[in-house]
Amino acid sequence: MNTPPPAPPSTAHLALPFFDDAHRALARGLLPWAAAQDVDESDDRAACRDWVRRLGEGGWLRYCVPAASGGALERLDSRALVLLRETLAYHSPLADFAFAMQGLGSGAITLAGSPEQQAAYLPAVANGSKIAAFALSEPNAGSDVGAMAMRADATPDGWKLDGTKTWISNGGIADFYCTFAKTDPTGGTRGITAFIVDATSPGLDTSGHIHVMAPHPLATLKFNDCNVPRTAQLGDLHGGFKLAMRTLDIFRASVAAAALGMARRALAEAVAHAQRRQMFGHSLGEFQLTQAKLGDMAALVDAAALLTYRAAWMRDESERTGQKPSGDLTTAAAMAKMTATENAQRVIDMALQLHGGLGVQVGTKVESLYRDIRSLRIYEGATEVQQLIIGKSVLKHA
């Protein structure tokens, strides 16, 4: 569609006390860069590689790793991740996906990697020369991680991995996979260990591409007598579950930010359409029913934003001070993820409805956003999982 783009996004939220001057400078620098990019996304795998290259060359992937490994900041900063993902998702959900997976796919190495592992992978993640992936889910082990069936058995030279991972983002294009497997089959979540598996490892098949409604690289991975060296073990033996959860906790608030960016774009598209569209001699925006819908959308966006920024700020303050925050970080992140993704779905649906028939025409922005947002309510913890986390916390602190 050749409709003009909406006005540039507002930066008013940067004045909120959750952010400092470094965050504001980051966001204001990213806005014009993101708006200037023009990537052909008709082939999602080629486009994802292109986005990783561009993000690396632009210096934005440096926020995915700490300064000691070529990163922009001393440690992973949740507020920086939130602002980056919100802005990227506003312009291109696939750009956000490419950025996020560099961080999530390498996060376990940042948290628990040996100096040798960090040196081998993190600088390449930061400059975009290596694409990362996070391999946790299995056909029968999604939210129930303890049901994991993939095995890792010790060998004289290292480890032999056997099993299947599925719904793996960047599957088939990644250069390495942070992979989780049972090293104690009877240990439940306490019997899981993490490994770094290079894409070239013999016995690893990444060809099982998965096609979804909002195209992005996904695959089923098959490990068949996949031998890796002993140095591939990542973190402590049987410490994989805690490592996976720590990694997800860092990035959960940033999932909320991605949804927030999409919601902001949908609202901007709705406002622009309401101002352009003429009906019965008036612009669509002059009708009170339209104004009421836009008001509802704006409130939903701001509610999600405040919870998202709070969760990121709480984590950063905890890291900075080394003290336990007054609130529960996991619960705050769950509230942000649940609210932002659910609110974004509602905002995008209302924006599509406001567009009428144009809203369902392939090629319009709201049509693609409608497909893009749906998966965010599922991955990195479905809405129902977030509800359980929040509910248990409420009962615990009652």
Side-chain angles (χ1 to χ4, degrees):
M1 299 296 294
N2 293 318
T3 55
S10 169
T11 58
H13 60 284
L14 297 176
L16 292 170
F18 295 110
F19 304 112
D20 58 31
D21 288 342
H23 296 116
R24 297 180 182 106
L26 162 64
R28 292 188 175 114
L30 178 62
L31 278 169
W33 181 90
Q37 303 307 304
D38 184 16
V39 174
D40 179 0
E41 296 186 350
S42 57
D43 180 338
D44 60 295
R45 292 175 180 273
C48 196
R49 291 188 182 96
D50 192 6
W51 273 118
V52 170
R53 178 185 62 79
R54 291 174 184 242
L55 289 162
E57 291 175 353
W60 307 114
L61 294 181
R62 295 177 61 228
Y63 290 90
C64 292
V65 304
S69 298
L73 302 172
E74 180 183 354
R75 60 174 67 91
L76 290 180
D77 184 278
S78 287
R79 286 168 295 174
L81 293 172
V82 158
L83 291 173
L84 279 152
R85 292 199 65 181
E86 179 182 341
T87 301
L88 290 172
Y90 181 94
H91 292 282
S92 164
L94 193 60
D96 163 67
F97 169 87
F99 173 84
M101 288 314 305
Q102 288 295 93
L104 181 63
S106 65
I109 301 176
T110 294
L111 292 172
S114 67
E116 294 77 16
Q117 289 171 332
Q118 292 177 347
Y121 293 97
L122 297 184
V125 167
N127 64 34
S129 61
K130 283 188 176 181
I131 296 178
F134 183 81
L136 180 65
S137 296
E138 296 186 4
N140 295 309
S143 298
D144 182 9
V145 179
M148 183 181 296
M150 182 163 163
R151 291 280 301 272
D153 295 308
T155 68
D157 300 320
W159 296 91
K160 180 172 68 72
L161 278 63
D162 288 281
T164 300
K165 295 292 181 182
T166 194
W167 300 108
I168 306 305
S169 295
N170 279 347
I173 69 168
D175 294 288
F176 67 92
Y177 300 85
C178 284
T179 304
F180 299 81
K182 283 281 185 69
T183 41
D184 177 1
T186 64
T189 57
R190 297 182 180 180
I192 297 170
T193 303
F195 301 89
I196 304 173
V197 182
D198 290 322
T200 56
S201 299
L204 172 59
D205 178 1
T206 65
S207 64
H209 298 175
I210 300 172
H211 301 284
V212 290
M213 61 193 293
H216 62 277
L218 280 172
T220 294
L221 315 181
K222 294 184 178 179
F223 298 79
N224 184 19
D225 289 343
C226 179
N227 288 284
V228 296
R230 193 156 298 278
T231 54
Q233 181 181 322
L234 177 57
D236 296 334
L237 183 67
H238 307 325
F241 176 76
K242 288 184 178 180
L243 179 57
M245 295 305 106
R246 287 176 62 204
T247 305
L248 291 170
D249 271 348
I250 293 172
F251 291 94
R252 188 160 286 131
S254 77
V255 179
L260 178 60
M262 294 184 207
R264 286 197 192 280
R265 180 60 182 267
L267 177 57
E269 294 285 341
V271 169
H273 181 74
Q275 292 170 332
R276 289 192 303 263
R277 180 76 162 94
Q278 295 293 310
M279 291 182 65
F280 307 110
H282 299 275
S283 72
L284 189 60
E286 291 181 79
F287 293 95
Q288 287 185 328
L289 188 58
T290 301
Q291 295 166 13
K293 284 293 184 185
L294 293 175
D296 196 10
M297 294 161 71
L300 289 168
V301 168
D302 273 11
L306 292 172
L307 283 174
T308 300
Y309 302 153
R310 181 190 71 162
W313 173 82
M314 285 174 63
R315 183 190 173 275
D316 288 344
E317 279 296 288
S318 176
E319 290 288 311
R320 183 183 66 84
T321 63
Q323 298 177 355
K324 188 175 180 179
S326 57
D328 184 340
L329 292 179
T330 299
T331 302
M335 285 185 175
K337 202 270 185 183
M338 178 187 74
T339 302
T341 55
E342 293 292 331
N343 283 11
Q345 181 82 60
R346 293 174 62 191
V347 168
I348 293 168
D349 185 71
M350 284 189 280
L352 188 150
Q353 188 75 10
L354 196 66
H355 277 70
L358 287 175
V360 294
Q361 184 174 350
V362 174
T364 59
K365 187 62 179 179
V366 291
E367 180 272 336
S368 63
L369 285 170
Y370 195 82
R371 290 182 286 108
D372 284 317
I373 191 58
R374 190 58 185 85
S375 64
L376 266 69
R377 294 168 59 202
I378 298 172
Y379 80 68
E380 289 193 41
T383 292
E384 292 77 10
V385 173
Q386 310 310 321
Q387 290 171 329
L388 288 174
I389 292 170
I390 298 164
K392 288 179 180 178
S393 177
V394 170
L395 289 171
K396 180 180 177 181
H397 296 100

